[in-house]
Amino acid sequence: MGATVIIGGQWGDEGKAKVVDFLMGDHDVVVRFQGGANAGHTVVSGLGKFAFHQIPSGLLYPAVTGILGNGMVIDPFAFLQEYNDLSARGVDMTERLFVSSAAHVVTPVHKLMDNVLEADRRDASIGSTGKGIGPAYSDKHMRSGLRMGVFLREKDELFDIIERSIDWNNRIFAAYNAPTLSAETIASDFVGIKDAIEPFVVDTQEALHELQGKGRRILLEGAQGTLLDIDHGTYPFVTSSSCSIGGAVAGTGLRPRDIGRIVGIFKSYITRVGNGPMPSEIGGPDGEALRERGGEYGTTTGRPRRCGWFDMVAGRYSVQLNGYDEIALTKLDVLSGFSTVKICTGYRVAGRATAGFPQNAESLARCEPVYEDLPGWTERLSDARTIEELPAAARRFVERLEEGLGVPITFVSTGPAREETIIRSDTYSTVRK
Ligand code: IMP
């Protein structure tokens, strides 16, 4: 059986973790393949509400194996903290969680560098989460980064390697007149966690192929979203990893032909946290109402998310890039109460219709939305278990999105709880072979 890949279809925060949690029952292995502690995946289960950052959210299932893949950048201190917090809440991950020796290490200098660079960009700041993601990927691509495999080295070697890497970054801080960090203290801190980290570190590429060979069913859990992808997103207002389908291969060592099912997650409206253009952003009271109803505040940073109407132009671009087999639509319940719900079906620049989704942020910033209005609904949706139980207007909205995106919508989420989910048996059968 080919691996299932979960991809964020928009600007992140689509509610991927709920879908991962939902699908996990049919899988044995869950893998994160990009990003790091900038992610915030919230799952509401019988044990309560959990926010995952670096550890794959599918691990709430007791028999599942979890992998932090080579495409990630990992803050080892935050990883241990998350591991300990989850363990304290009853999630036992003993001998079922592994970290790639080829994943890169986020160090305190990367976090400081994130803030120094953001301050330097002034008005053009990206709105980074400040978790050191961009600087860690920069070090990776400059071939000066540290990989998690360093934790397998002897303690004195580890000390020297870390100290050298901090010194290197300190020279850049000095050029920015920013405070430098004590290389010795940081190196000692890393040596201090070596024994705790070492047992997790393995060659996960090898392990994944082995698991696959034994018939284990693999699910790849994307973080962020397609429009934040370093290559295909709204550059430069993007994250530093490959959040679309290509990253699933590069970030795990699986082969393209190992992928069997690609599930795109789309929220029923759009949100963006951080800066950058967003043509269908809603200002004023409607935007605020959406933020409040949807609880649209960042899981990682607590920042208010910018809200907007569903953007079909961006959605079609996401479909084109990722080739989804099916789509899970989330947070439909949040739209209850609007007399009209809008869908952005096109863009105009200086009064003229444009074709497609522009590749760079400057062009996107010039686009004005063209809306299609659909009648709204007032009913709460969370008790509906079939598409037929939804109010006609909500059903029409789902069908219009499906028609516009050209991909079957197989799941509709109407609330945070596991049971607040509609499985479209009509469309589900068309994508399951
Ligand atoms: P960074 O990934 O921390 O460098 O942030 C770069 C951009 O990606 C900023 O606009 C962030 O707000 C955004 N971003 C990073 N991670 C997430 C996420 O998990 N959800 C939504 N936006 C994110």
Side-chain angles (χ1 to χ4, degrees):
M1 175 184 151
T4 303
V5 189
I6 302 289
I7 298 281
Q10 297 152 320
W11 275 285
D13 308 315
E14 298 90 353
K16 293 178 284 295
K18 175 171 170 177
V19 182
V20 169
D21 181 64
F22 198 86
L23 292 177
M24 214 55 234
D26 291 335
H27 294 82
D28 309 299
V29 183
V30 61
V31 191
R32 275 278 306 271
F33 55 86
Q34 43 71 231
N38 50 350
H41 294 168
T42 309
V43 182
V44 182
S45 84
L47 289 172
K49 186 171 171 180
F50 291 86
F52 292 86
H53 296 284
Q54 302 190 97
I55 292 180
S57 61
L59 279 174
L60 282 184
Y61 283 77
V64 161
T65 300
I67 290 180
L68 279 71
N70 59 276
M72 288 187 73
V73 288
I74 297 168
D75 176 339
F77 296 96
F79 167 80
L80 285 179
Q81 182 73 51
E82 193 173 345
Y83 182 85
N84 292 335
D85 289 350
L86 285 167
S87 303
R89 290 185 64 191
V91 185
D92 182 357
M93 291 167 286
T94 317
E95 292 183 15
R96 63 185 184 103
L97 179 61
F98 303 97
V99 175
S100 167
S101 52
H104 275 250
V105 181
V106 177
T107 69
V109 285
H110 293 133
K111 290 192 255 186
L112 178 61
M113 189 73 77
D114 223 355
N115 295 321
V116 168
L117 295 178
E118 279 286 75
D120 191 62
R121 287 186 188 112
R122 294 184 208 103
D123 294 350
S125 89
I126 287 157
S128 148
T129 59
K131 300 289 179 190
I133 305 298
Y137 277 115
S138 301
D139 261 354
K140 169 177 173 173
H141 286 272
M142 284 199 287
R143 277 99 13 110
S144 52
L146 297 168
R147 308 213 291 183
M148 289 298 287
V150 294
F151 285 102
L152 305 177
R153 307 284 281 265
E154 294 303 323
K155 285 190 175 166
D156 51 349
E157 280 181 314
L158 175 61
F159 186 94
D160 290 345
I161 295 168
I162 302 280
E163 200 182 29
R164 260 204 315 277
S165 123
I166 306 299
D167 269 341
W168 186 84
N169 278 275
N170 270 343
R171 275 180 265 152
I172 304 177
F173 290 135
Y176 274 100
N177 288 326
T180 56
L181 295 173
S182 160
E184 203 184 334
T185 309
I186 293 174
S188 304
D189 290 347
F190 272 89
V191 171
I193 58 168
K194 173 185 150 66
D195 292 341
I197 292 283
E198 190 175 354
F200 294 102
V201 180
V202 298
D203 177 344
T204 55
Q205 189 255 1
E206 184 74 32
L208 268 173
H209 283 283
E210 221 175 283
L211 287 162
Q212 198 190 33
K214 288 183 189 154
R216 301 289 188 276
R217 297 158 302 172
I218 298 170
L219 185 143
L220 308 182
E221 176 179 355
Q224 289 84 43
T226 298
L227 303 173
L228 289 172
D229 184 285
I230 183 72
D231 288 285
H232 304 293
T234 51
Y235 192 89
F237 301 101
V238 291
T239 188
S240 306
S241 65
S242 300
C243 338
S244 51
I245 189 66
V249 174
T252 58
L254 287 173
R255 299 160 294 199
R257 61 165 55 94
D258 294 328
I259 293 172
R261 176 183 184 190
I262 307 170
V263 186
I265 318 300
F266 285 77
K267 192 146 59 179
S268 302
Y269 47 96
I270 55 169
T271 57
R272 181 166 196 162
V273 57
N275 303 331
M278 184 183 173
S280 61
E281 182 165 9
I282 313 172
D286 274 357
E288 270 162 43
L290 206 45
R291 182 177 312 125
E292 290 313 313
R293 283 183 214 174
E296 296 296 354
Y297 292 88
T299 313
T300 302
T301 58
R303 290 181 291 178
R305 295 179 185 144
R306 299 155 62 197
C307 297
W309 296 113
F310 192 95
D311 186 334
M312 189 78 89
V313 187
R316 279 196 293 260
Y317 173 72
S318 180
V319 167
Q320 181 185 62
L321 261 173
N322 294 297
Y324 304 120
D325 295 297
E326 60 193 294
I327 283 173
L329 185 69
T330 62
K331 292 191 139 179
L332 184 62
D333 53 304
V334 176
L335 291 182
S336 292
F338 285 95
S339 53
T340 301
V341 285
K342 291 174 184 282
I343 298 174
C344 169
T345 52
Y347 295 153
R348 259 197 209 117
V349 175
R352 287 189 169 196
T354 62
F357 187 75
Q359 205 177 28
N360 61 70
E362 304 87 77
S363 305
L364 187 63
R366 285 194 289 274
C367 291
E368 286 164 23
V370 177
Y371 287 118
E372 184 175 307
D373 287 358
L374 292 171
W377 59 92
T378 51
E379 298 90 331
R380 62 189 282 263
L381 309 183
S382 43
D383 296 330
R385 296 290 173 267
T386 64
I387 194 84
E388 291 74 25
E389 284 166 34
L390 288 176
R395 209 162 56 229
R396 172 77 197 110
F397 178 76
V398 175
E399 285 162 0
R400 178 67 187 95
L401 294 188
E402 190 170 51
E403 181 195 333
L405 295 171
V407 179
I409 294 178
T410 52
F411 294 79
V412 179
S413 172
T414 57
R418 276 180 179 165
E419 58 279 9
E420 291 169 329
T421 307
I422 294 171
I423 300 198
R424 304 267 314 275
S425 52
D426 49 338
T427 52
Y428 203 69
S429 58
T430 65
V431 294
R432 303 271 49 83
K433 280 117 202 155

